[in-house]
Amino acid sequence: MEQKTITPEIAKKMLENNIISNRKPTVANVNRYAEMMKKGLWINYHVQPIIFSNEGELMDGQHRLHAVIKSGKTIKFNVVYADKSIMPTIDDGKKRTPGDACKISGIPNSNQYSGIMTLYTNLKNQINGLSRMNSKSMSKIELVEYYFNNKSHIDRIINTSQGWYNKGRLLTWGTYGALYMLFEEKNSEYAQLFFDQLSTGKGVVNNTIFLLRQRLINEKSAVKNLPQPILIALIIKAWNAVISGRELKNLSYNPLSEKYPEIN
């Protein structure tokens, strides 16, 4: 680590090497930092250093550097150089979302992948019927590692679920993807057939899928939508019926009187 005196001109030069996948700066944060610098309230040698990759690309500090330019002040900062592999763990001005970390790591459809995996892990762990949805999400590093360890599988899940989503948007892309992963673990062949029939209404062999499809179509125009946990419970109940060869006459779920359904 070294201490550097950064003028507005030096800040401009540093920003020219801003890493390509980094996020756009948040104007409110830049303005807040600039005001502090103008008023002499910015603490020199800020605890969080400006971070560059070993190749000279700016990985962390863009908000502070933009603030130096905006304020016209010269500020002292600690500066460090590190391997690019640490990018997913860095915060700059605002907390990086899991989707940000995935994008930085070069994962395509990063936000969709992050959403699919978050719902997948929550459902996998059956956390209180989804009422504590964020308590066991994968960490940013785990998300990145999981993708690259299962790249072909995840790319197939993402692309296939995007196709279903585009056919009618009965469910979100993330919901299609997460449930497809879970159903596929139980019956890989039928999982694709189930969502093919649900998304298009074609080739349906079990009336339960028609019931679910109509419910989802009605949801699109409803004034008040069902909470996601209840909607997913209906999908799981429909899947369980179809996979066991049963046809439901009614499709409903009452959280007050029914246990949250497990996936068969």
Side-chain angles (χ1 to χ4, degrees):
M1 183 183 293
E2 58 180 312
Q3 295 174 353
K4 284 191 175 182
T5 299
I6 299 179
T7 65
E9 291 71 26
I10 292 174
K12 287 178 184 177
K13 283 287 185 184
M14 288 179 163
L15 284 166
E16 288 176 3
N17 293 320
N18 196 7
I19 196 165
I20 245 175
S21 55
N22 212 341
R23 298 165 300 170
K24 292 181 180 179
T26 302
V27 174
N29 286 350
V30 173
N31 290 343
R32 179 162 54 90
Y33 292 168
E35 278 302 305
M36 292 173 69
M37 292 174 184
K38 285 179 183 177
K39 294 176 180 178
L41 300 176
W42 189 265
I43 301 172
N44 286 350
Y45 313 130
H46 191 268
V47 65
Q48 175 74 7
I50 305 292
I51 305 176
F52 289 89
S53 72
N54 291 327
E55 293 75 30
E57 298 165 300
L58 177 66
M59 297 197 296
D60 185 47
Q62 64 170 336
H63 288 86
R64 284 164 281 162
L65 293 175
H66 278 292
V68 168
I69 296 167
K70 186 174 181 65
S71 69
K73 297 294 184 179
T74 295
I75 305 291
K76 291 182 178 180
F77 288 102
N78 290 322
V79 176
V80 299
Y81 292 83
D83 191 88
K84 277 198 284 191
S85 64
I86 72 166
M87 265 304 275
T89 68
I90 296 173
D91 288 338
D92 178 22
K94 63 179 180 181
K95 188 174 181 180
R96 294 188 192 276
T97 67
D100 290 332
C102 292
K103 181 179 179 181
I104 287 164
S105 300
I107 297 174
N109 299 305
S110 54
N111 287 329
Q112 287 76 16
Y113 166 65
S114 171
I116 287 170
M117 292 308 301
T118 297
L119 182 56
Y120 168 82
T121 52
N122 288 333
L123 284 168
K124 185 83 171 175
N125 291 301
Q126 290 291 298
I127 304 171
N128 193 24
L130 290 186
S131 65
R132 296 167 56 204
M133 288 192 67
N134 296 318
S135 61
K136 288 201 175 183
S137 296
M138 297 172 76
S139 70
K140 297 168 189 173
I141 292 296
E142 287 172 333
L143 272 173
V144 172
E145 289 179 346
Y146 188 88
Y147 175 82
F148 287 108
N149 288 336
N150 302 274
K151 186 177 183 301
S152 60
H153 172 63
I154 294 299
D155 284 345
R156 179 178 58 81
I157 293 291
I158 290 173
N159 292 333
T160 305
S161 56
Q162 181 186 24
W164 291 324
Y165 172 71
N166 289 339
K167 285 175 182 175
R169 305 196 175 190
L170 298 181
L171 299 170
T172 66
W173 189 348
T175 303
Y176 271 124
L179 289 174
Y180 181 35
M181 287 181 72
L182 290 164
F183 292 177
E184 192 176 56
E185 291 173 0
K186 299 292 185 178
N187 189 314
S188 59
E189 180 181 357
Y190 222 103
Q192 178 144 1
L193 285 173
F194 179 86
F195 287 113
D196 280 344
Q197 294 171 16
L198 179 63
S199 62
T200 65
K202 297 177 181 178
V204 176
V205 296
N206 187 313
N207 191 59
T208 304
I209 294 179
F210 274 130
L211 286 177
L212 176 59
R213 179 175 166 79
Q214 191 57 52
R215 184 66 181 267
L216 296 177
I217 290 171
N218 293 341
E219 269 297 294
K220 291 179 66 176
S221 58
V223 175
K224 185 176 182 181
N225 296 118
L226 286 174
Q228 188 191 44
I230 293 179
L231 189 64
I232 289 175
L234 293 174
I235 299 168
I236 294 173
K237 290 183 74 172
W239 163 264
N240 289 345
V242 170
I243 204 71
S244 64
R246 294 180 292 113
E247 288 202 2
L248 301 180
K249 293 183 178 179
N250 296 294
L251 182 60
S252 62
Y253 171 70
N254 186 342
L256 298 178
S257 59
E258 296 180 59
K259 182 181 176 182
Y260 202 80
E262 295 182 1
I263 300 170
N264 296 337

